[in-house]
């Protein structure tokens, strides 16, 4: 009986270790955020990808990781998730690494409902989509500009002219 219990406890510890390893080393940034915006947890990969140690981020405001140009919008969207009890949401935004470089991420948000003696928490998974964003911007530029001169092409010129003419009619 003691041997079986000992094996079960060892199997449980091994299972917990595998789960912790999966969380810490998954190639995405995992965050748990409190209603006040403080970071409750972050996986090791996520913290290191942004240039931090996990211990440095826990307890700090999540907002300092967001690019200042979009910080207010992201903060508003996250606060709306909490305020309206919106269970799932996703959108792309920019994060700023410790070294100042910018990373585009696709964030998937899931609200974990409040339990007895605890408040609701937001689970966030961020995947780096910087490369895809750069390619999309390059394609967009190529679609509207002449490759040789770098000037807007005829289609883009006509589109801009049409918008200007429409605004002058108003």
């Amino acid at each position: 009986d003691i041997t079986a219990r000992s094996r079960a406890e060892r199997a449980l510890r091994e299972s917990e270790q595998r789960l912790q390893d999966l969380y810490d080393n998954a190639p995405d940034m995992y965050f748990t955020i409190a209603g006040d915006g403080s970071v409750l947890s972050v996986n090791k990969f996520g913290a290191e990808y942004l240039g931090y140690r996990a211990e440095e981020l826990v307890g700090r405001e999540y907002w300092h990781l967001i690019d200042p140009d979009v910080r207010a919008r992201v903060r508003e969207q996250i606060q709306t998730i909490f305020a309206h009890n919106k269970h799932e949401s996703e959108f792309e935004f920019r994060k700023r690494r410790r070294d100042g470089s910018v990373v585009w991420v696709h964030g998937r948000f899931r609200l974990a409902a409040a339990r007895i003696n605890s408040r609701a928490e937001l689970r966030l998974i961020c995947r780096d989509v910087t490369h895809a964003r750069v390619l999309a911007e390059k394609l967009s530029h190529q679609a509207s500009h002449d490759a040789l001169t770098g000037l807007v092409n005829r289609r883009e010129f006509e589109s801009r002219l049409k918008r200007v003419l429409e605004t002058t009619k108003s």
Side-chain angles (χ1 to χ4, degrees):
D1 189 38
I2 294 175
T3 306
R5 181 183 174 124
S6 175
R7 271 186 266 181
E9 288 174 351
R10 185 169 13 110
L12 179 61
R13 280 191 307 274
E14 289 172 0
S15 177
E16 287 174 347
Q17 184 58 43
R18 280 192 306 274
L19 183 61
Q20 186 64 44
D21 186 56
L22 176 64
Y23 173 75
D24 278 334
N25 296 305
D28 288 318
M29 297 168 255
Y30 294 177
F31 291 89
T32 303
I33 303 170
D36 66 358
S38 61
V39 175
L40 299 174
S41 70
V42 58
N43 67 332
K44 182 179 174 184
F45 174 87
E48 290 175 355
Y49 196 77
L50 296 172
Y52 298 91
R53 288 179 295 116
E55 302 81 39
E56 293 178 276
L57 296 178
V58 173
R60 290 183 67 185
E61 285 192 340
Y62 178 71
W63 319 124
H64 87 279
L65 297 171
I66 309 300
D67 185 58
D69 294 340
V70 296
R71 189 174 292 156
R73 181 181 60 83
V74 173
R75 185 178 203 157
E76 181 181 307
Q77 287 180 304
I78 290 175
Q79 289 172 337
T80 299
I81 292 170
F82 277 105
H84 298 298
N85 206 23
K86 192 174 178 183
H87 293 285
E88 290 190 31
S89 184
E90 58 185 88
F91 52 91
E92 290 185 1
F93 58 99
R94 293 185 311 266
K95 285 184 177 262
R96 183 151 320 243
R97 289 181 167 144
R98 174 177 259 170
D99 66 6
S101 61
V102 173
V103 178
W104 273 97
V105 297
H106 178 86
R108 296 191 66 204
F109 301 82
R110 175 170 281 176
L111 190 62
R115 296 181 301 250
I116 297 173
N117 297 328
S118 69
R119 295 182 174 176
E121 299 172 345
L122 191 63
R123 310 284 195 243
L124 168 59
I125 299 174
C126 293
R127 176 163 288 165
D128 184 348
V129 294
T130 306
H131 183 70
R133 274 290 216 179
V134 168
L135 286 177
E137 289 171 8
K138 186 176 180 180
L139 284 173
S140 176
H141 184 269
Q142 288 175 348
S144 61
H145 290 75
D146 180 75
L148 183 60
T149 66
L151 299 172
V152 293
N153 61 23
R154 180 179 174 172
R155 187 176 68 232
E156 180 66 15
F157 175 76
E158 289 173 350
S159 174
R160 290 182 185 186
L161 182 59
K162 182 178 177 185
R163 284 194 305 261
V164 168
L165 291 174
E166 286 175 359
T167 58
T168 58
K169 290 179 184 177
S170 305

